[in-house]
Amino acid sequence: MSGSAADGVPASPLSYLDRPNSYIGRSVARPNARRLLAGQGQYVGDIVLARMLHVAFYRSPHAHARIGRIDVAAAAASREVVWVVTGADILGICKPWVGVLGHLKGMKSAPQPALALDRVFAQGEPIVAVVARSQAAAEDAVQKIAVDFEALPPLTEPEAALAEGAPVLHPELGDNLAFERRIEVGAVDAAFAAAAAVVEDTFDFARQTGVTLEPRGIVADYRAADGRLTLYQSSQAPHMMRALMARQFGLPESDIRVVAPDIGGSFGIKIHCYPDEMATVALAILLKRPVKFVADRLESFVSDIHARGHRVRGRMAVDAEGRILAFVADALTGVGPYSAYPRTSAVEANQVINLIGGPYVFPAYRARARVAFQNKVVMSQYRAVGHPIACTVTEALIDRAAAALGLDPAEMRRRNLIKDDAYPVTSAVGLKFEGLSHHRALAKMLEMMDYEALRAEQAALRARGIHRGIGLASFIEITNPSPAFYGAGGAPIAAQDGCAIRLDPEGGLTLQASVGEQGQGTETVLAQIAASVFDVPLARVRVVTGDTDTTPQGGDNWASRAAGIAGEATLQATKALKANVLEIAGALLQMPPARLDIRDGKVVEAASGAARFDLAEIARMVYFRTDALPEGVKPELMATRHYVPRGYPFAFTNGVQASYLEVDTATGAVTLLKHWVVEDCGTVINPLLVAEQLRGGIVQGIGGALYEECVYDEQGQMQNANMADYLVPMAAEMPDIEIGHVAGTPTAESELGAKGTGEAGVAAAPAAVLNAVNDALRPFAARVTAQPMTPECILRALGKLPSRRGAAGPAFG
Amino acid sequence: MPSSSLALDGLIEITLTVNGESVTGRADARTHLVDFLRREFGLTGSHLGCEQGVCGACTVRLDGRIVRGCLIYAVQAAGRRVETIEGLSDSGEIADLQAAFHERNALQCGYCTPGMLLTAAELLAMRPNAGRAEIRRFLSGNFCRCTGYQAIVDAVDATAKRRQVARR
Ligand code: FES
Ligand code: FES
């Protein structure tokens, strides 16, 4: 790994993080990975409870249809079947919900039932649930269900859904527009009138889906005797789920426990409320028995949320020096028939127009985002919500403007990136940046990739008919969202996080945190913070997460918030515990606590370093020999702290990615040769884990850029809803990814200074790859503006296949 | 004694060797090997990602060679030798590879990991001098959504090199 571990650590002399035994900035391996390596993880699919039943769903084969007679007789009579349930059967206990947020003004959606009632609006919508003693029996019985459908014409394209006179999917809503937002800042028309060059393109981003290797799953266990509902759920948001389930089923939150065991990938897919999971909970309550649902891969493709799926027309005006004068963006997306619950399906489009132009200085901006209902699978938040779309539009326009003015793409960025000494800055759109390092990052990137040498190599090869491209993409990334977000919109989603930490009798620490682990290393990072602040060996810190019964209330895992928010709560809780321990030690030694310290697991005299107590001695005395403690000493060996960022709506991170690739102009195939990223995520707690977040994210981003697409026909049928036909990145096609660091810009909002890093990889990889492809195609005056950039798409751009899009983009701006 | 026999309820009794132990379980004819291992013997280390032969999460060893456990019927394993991640972990056979994965953080959620380890172990046994490109190709039937693969390639590469040194 490149870059030094110390990069990004704040230099304040008294920082807890700079102590000699600090684990902050150290690439420690994840202790909790050992059992996963031995096959001893416990995922939802592995959970078996006494008297447990299994549920399977009959799903709509139609994108849009009226439901007629449902014949369940044969299914109900099948071997091992316990109950066959239609929508009306569970309506009493499981009311439809509506996925809107108050702060997204004007947003609307229709009530969404757990099981479809009289109409289905998308392929894959669950209609009948079959509960049986085995999963195989439930699946068999589903095959025997017969439903009379009256097929209705599907509304698949967002343009058509918003057209004058279009049939309205939910008549009570009046039209198919779920959400619209406009932004108008500065003198846009004047900027375009005065421009030395104007560039414009319409960009198409295909629908993608998350393809977590472990499909969604839930075991719902309702014990009627004490009214307790326990959910074992493959979820990244157990606290949110508990609150939603309480609302949904009219139970007190205190009677609900949500356990997130090992999670086989989430990426935002496992943060939404899904009808099949709601139905499973309803069935468990009605049957008073544990019920398990684990999606199979085929139903994952038509029931997990989809994402991206945007058409964006972007325009940019520049002056003769290449300075950006204005952006205009018009984003249109179709999100399926319902807005997802509870985070809605409007956030991605909203984020797209928020983030366009993000790294740059520009005085004028006009944007519109429109979100339409349609008859496809529901779309909502997936890793790096909106980022790859906004970044691709922005970076592609930057490259085009550079070409129009004869500037090098790196120079074009240098002229427009927000200056490193300009912060704090509020952008034209109103984004508040506390501190970023675009120029340092770009300089580091150019040096790391040896940009000049690469350009020379590219030119030499071009002369021999080998077409290589170099693509740059600067980016910003949203992390650490403040309460201004979902909470203000009315969803029970916390912006704060909590950590409770205690000293155990043997001198170790047990830490209970409100954020969870999905493999990104949350538990390790929190342990590193606690071990550093308390100054004990990392091996003596145990971390408990993923259980609403045993962890503080908090905001769960999304938007790269665990390290920055829960990390700070951990730091503060550990400081508080340390103060308690030193107070007790001081009383025992009759010394002022200020003259004591904890070093390497021992209480020492701060000045001399002389050891006075092992932590185990103090703990045992407090727990078991309280009689021996001096009068007035409080036996408080547990401390809890919560933290919420309030100064800025988000902590932004920044960075730049670069791609080097080769295009075979005969076949349209793209070979990725190398990828680089430089990111500044503030304080780096574990460089190894940061690097792997970046690499994993980049490869997901490359998936969207080159391979991944939910292919639909005109009937609203997904044509490639299986893993053989939906292409994902595999090892052989992926490049090595080199990572560079710059001296970071920690957030001053917290003592820890950490921002997140989970979205950065996905955010800019598609833009870097698209710019590289277009750089390779430059001699042919061809360019690609759609993702995924399949060989077919590249051959179309080269004019070797007929072009597909007839109509121009929407007229706006 | 035959290693499989039809019981009265339509389930087939299947005797096989799992991780060195002779065991008997019951399954119907269409049950695939991984469902059988998971359900009958609690061997939940083998995972299911697609049940279509594409993702490799279900990789186990059958008579010493890796197979996709979702493409093999349980009855086909009757009388044969099956090894899973649990067995390979207990025997210590791949301890060095697991340690390399751990050091290099070649796993995040861990769901692909048992299949990756079994696949990588076969590559290391068959082609002890494999380079990075060959490692990438050999692992290309195993999907990982989390890591981006490079850490996995690094870990396998490091293990290959360490074993080469150890052999000298
Ligand atoms: S589950 Fe067998 S290959 Fe995917
Ligand atoms: S580590 Fe999650 S799928 Fe590979």
Side-chain angles (χ1 to χ4, degrees), chain A residues 212-214 263-265 267 518, chain B residues 106-113 116 143-147 152:
Chain A
T212 58
L213 188 52
E214 178 214 22
I263 308 290
F267 317 118
Q518 293 93 38
Chain B
L107 71 160
Q108 290 184 27
C109 78
Y111 202 79
C112 70
T113 309
M116 282 289 180
F143 175 47
C144 173
R145 190 50 144 178
C146 303
T147 62
I152 297 173

Side-chain angles (χ1 to χ4, degrees), chain A residues 441-480:
Chain A
L442 180 63
K444 172 75 192 183
M445 171 61 80
L446 299 177
E447 172 205 315
M448 179 167 70
M449 67 193 286
D450 203 346
Y451 186 72
E452 297 305 327
L454 222 49
R455 284 280 177 215
E457 178 179 289
Q458 177 191 32
L461 290 172
R462 206 167 253 173
R464 292 171 29 206
I466 294 171
H467 298 287
R468 292 194 172 176
I470 301 165
L472 293 173
S474 290
F475 66 90
I476 55 171
E477 174 198 24
I478 291 177
T479 74
N480 298 3

Side-chain angles (χ1 to χ4, degrees), chain A residues 430-441:
Chain A
L431 303 179
K432 293 188 170 61
F433 302 124
E434 182 191 359
L436 299 172
S437 54
H438 286 299
H439 287 267
R440 261 178 293 156

Side-chain angles (χ1 to χ4, degrees), chain A residues 131-148:
Chain A
V131 185
R133 273 183 284 280
S134 73
Q135 188 168 350
E139 285 166 5
D140 285 351
V142 164
Q143 304 297 322
K144 297 181 187 160
I145 291 169
V147 181
D148 291 337

Side-chain angles (χ1 to χ4, degrees), chain A residues 110-391:
Chain A
Q112 181 178 16
L115 298 175
L117 296 166
D118 49 356
R119 269 166 90 192
V120 282
F121 294 93
Q123 178 196 22
E125 226 185 293
I127 301 173
V128 186
V130 177
V131 185
R133 273 183 284 280
S134 73
Q135 188 168 350
E139 285 166 5
D140 285 351
V142 164
Q143 304 297 322
K144 297 181 187 160
I145 291 169
V147 181
D148 291 337
F149 289 104
E150 181 199 330
L152 299 169
L155 201 49
T156 55
E157 298 314 309
E159 284 91 346
L162 296 185
E164 198 78 32
V168 179
L169 286 186
H170 306 288
E172 70 272 27
L173 299 181
D175 58 27
N176 296 316
L177 185 66
F179 178 66
E180 172 165 358
R181 183 178 161 218
R182 288 168 186 260
I183 300 173
E184 179 86 32
V185 182
V188 176
D189 294 326
F192 277 89
V198 171
V199 286
E200 170 169 359
D201 261 318
T202 298
F203 300 88
D204 282 301
F205 300 86
R207 273 182 171 238
Q208 286 176 243
T209 185
V211 203
T212 58
L213 188 52
E214 178 214 22
R216 287 185 299 108
I218 184 170
V219 179
D221 180 14
Y222 181 68
R223 303 285 163 112
D226 60 3
R228 289 274 288 166
L229 174 68
T230 303
L231 306 180
Y232 304 89
Q233 192 173 21
S234 187
S235 169
Q236 58 193 94
H239 290 95
M240 178 197 84
M241 284 298 171
R242 179 168 73 155
L244 291 178
M245 293 299 164
R247 288 181 181 188
Q248 185 68 19
F249 295 102
L251 297 169
E253 262 194 63
S254 52
D255 282 345
I256 302 176
R257 175 183 175 205
V258 181
V259 179
D262 288 320
I263 308 290
S266 51
F267 317 118
I269 299 303
K270 295 173 179 173
I271 204 163
H272 310 285
C273 267
Y274 289 92
D276 44 25
E277 296 180 39
M278 286 284 212
T280 304
V281 177
L283 291 167
I285 294 173
L286 290 168
L287 287 163
K288 306 186 183 73
R289 285 177 72 172
V291 180
K292 180 180 196 172
F293 166 64
V294 175
D296 74 26
R297 182 60 58 189
L298 302 182
E299 61 187 339
S300 297
F301 276 107
V302 291
S303 67
D304 288 4
I305 57 114
H306 294 175
R308 312 299 186 234
H310 264 72
R311 171 170 288 182
V312 185
R313 196 174 80 146
R315 292 169 73 203
M316 190 173 86
V318 291
D319 70 13
E321 274 75 55
R323 272 187 296 269
I324 303 168
L325 301 175
F327 274 104
V328 172
D330 188 16
L332 175 64
T333 181
V335 293
Y338 299 106
S339 167
Y341 184 61
R343 290 165 192 261
T344 84
S345 301
V347 174
E348 183 140 55
N350 192 48
Q351 210 88 292
V352 167
I353 60 169
N354 274 340
L355 291 173
I356 281 177
Y360 302 102
V361 179
F362 58 100
Y365 184 43
R366 174 179 300 151
R368 174 172 75 164
R370 289 178 303 157
V371 177
F373 292 119
Q374 61 178 166
N375 295 113
K376 289 185 183 175
V377 170
V378 170
M379 287 220 313
S380 189
Q381 281 85 310
Y382 162 53
R383 192 175 191 179
V385 186
H387 291 63
I389 299 167
C391 185

Side-chain angles (χ1 to χ4, degrees), chain A residues 74-105:
Chain A
S78 295
R79 186 178 68 91
E80 296 202 339
V81 167
V82 173
W83 200 18
V84 182
V85 186
T86 61
D89 296 327
I90 58 168
L91 202 55
I93 173 173
C94 189
K95 302 256 175 310
W97 53 87
V98 181
V100 295
L101 285 168
H103 70 301
L104 295 171
K105 284 195 193 60

